[in-house]
Amino acid sequence: MSGKGYNENGSYEVEGGPSDCISSLSWSPPDAPKNVLVATSWDKTARVWDVTQSAPTPAAKCHATKGPECVHDLPVLCSAVTQDLRVFTGGCDKMVKCWELAAGKAPYQVAAHDQPVKSVKFISQCNILATGSWDSTVKFWDLRQPQPLGQIALAGPLVDMDCGTFPMATFLTGREIVVYDMQQRREIKRMEPHRIMKHQMRCIANFPDVTGNPGFAAGSIEGRVCIMHMNDSSKDYTFKCHRENGGSDVYAVHGIAFHHLGTFATFGSNGSFAFWDKDAKQRLRQFQNCDQSIPCGGFDSFGTLFAYAVSYDWSKGVEGYNSQKGNHILIHSVRESDIRTRSR
């Protein structure tokens, strides 16, 4: 990792961030009354910022105003924001809380698992909350009922999931991907992409609708991303990323975030993030390394802002921890030339 500081790319820094490692970042969806950013942390909190721009363009100045906090009994691992500004948070206390920002209500429990909750997603098209856990299940909740509508069993603890391209959802364990139809609430297939991904997978993200060919991208601890198509496996491929010193130093891919144009970002343990064009099979832009890992990130609904956390991921154990470096949330203005697909 070669970064000299936490903000080597001149991004806007959000004030009032967590006091411990940052576990997730999530944005409010399109048509929400505010552009809200939520961060969860091992300090047992979820924090909210109202992010504004003078116009939804990359050149417009960004500003984030800190809002209230939601507190759990144990570290918080994940969050999701709805169009009406409900925030769902889950974590190591094995529960999911609902936090109604617009109503100003105190957070209350809406779901539970037998082990920590690793991911939450709200599917607005069917008004269902999906929760995935280290107890090796994904549960589906109608929030008008106290019990889940159903659940699916996984081959191991959930690592990541994406429900952003309705009706397709993907659920990831370390070595298996479950593809699910949220509209019909049925499993489509289970995949073990060991032929192209030989190491444990860490993250997954579905293609947005604009691609016209459903599929997903998954990243691994080996500094590799696979691109997989549901209807045409001949287009599947992998590429190496988040490697340094000529490829001899290999870092985990912590996350993948698609832009609405169909291009995407990866971010990883080496403290870097990059934008990619999956169809042209090329990197659009590589950003400067930060001095700590980037555990989470994502584009806002306009696609003009990319939020990312600079925070230690414990990949180098206690010996690699430096309390003086702190934990930072940064927002980078996205230029269209950096993220738009390019013809080959």
Side-chain angles (χ1 to χ4, degrees), residues 89-102:
T89 58
C92 293
D93 54 9
K94 307 176 188 177
M95 69 172 65
V96 177
K97 291 185 177 183
C98 178
W99 185 17
E100 298 183 27
L101 294 181

Side-chain angles (χ1 to χ4, degrees), residues 320-335:
Y321 177 65
N322 183 347
S323 61
Q324 300 301 314
K325 291 187 176 181
N327 303 279
H328 308 275
I329 298 172
L330 303 166
I331 301 177
H332 193 82
S333 294
V334 179
R335 295 184 302 180

